[in-house]
Amino acid sequence: MYDAEGRGLAGPQVGWGERIVTLDVTGEREGERVFLNPAIVHREGETELEEGCLGLPGVRVHIARAARVRVLAYTLKGERLEMEAEGLAACAWQHEMDHLNGLLIIDRLPPTTLIALRDQLRRLEQEARDRASG
């Protein structure tokens, strides 16, 4: 995640079926960064920020998200956490929750944007096939 300048990573992105997220929006590597069974329990407002995804290198798109969220989660020690996030942190939480629910950023795009990204997405798909067969 850090090597690719990512802000978060969800279990399904690395082949884990568990509902686990690591999140470090600041990149400072301080504080709690691994969360189990997270749930967004409140959303408020709306914002649109440019997002990328470690699973779709080079793809950058604007996604509408809630501007503020309240998240419940557990630490690796089983402690219950409740936290508020806004701005980039709120978007990151929603992005990682999408991964836990089987969604990618491209699943939130209108058809016209997908058409504009078609060549880039096909190239990424071919690269993935080449890695899998090679």
Side-chain angles (χ1 to χ4, degrees), residues 30-125:
E30 294 178 356
E32 197 66 50
R33 295 187 307 271
V34 178
F35 306 93
L36 304 174
N37 295 321
I40 295 175
V41 296
H42 179 75
R43 298 170 193 261
E44 185 178 321
E46 188 174 311
T47 190
E48 187 173 301
L49 297 175
E50 184 180 66
E51 293 184 32
C53 182
L54 296 175
L56 298 167
V59 174
R60 308 278 312 165
V61 293
H62 284 85
I63 305 287
R65 304 250 189 216
R68 287 172 294 287
V69 296
R70 183 177 310 123
V71 179
L72 295 179
Y74 292 87
T75 69
L76 291 172
K77 295 177 182 176
E79 299 163 337
R80 183 178 184 270
L81 299 174
E82 183 171 345
M83 60 208 108
E84 304 268 337
E86 62 183 326
L88 178 60
C91 289
W93 268 110
Q94 291 166 89
H95 180 106
E96 298 310 326
M97 293 301 298
D98 277 355
H99 283 304
L100 293 180
N101 295 321
L103 297 173
L104 296 172
I105 54 175
I106 58 174
D107 296 319
R108 295 206 172 270
L109 297 176
T112 53
T113 305
L114 285 173
I115 290 168
L117 291 171
R118 179 180 42 214
D119 291 341
Q120 189 176 10
L121 294 173
R122 284 183 180 156
R123 181 182 47 78
L124 288 172
E125 185 177 22

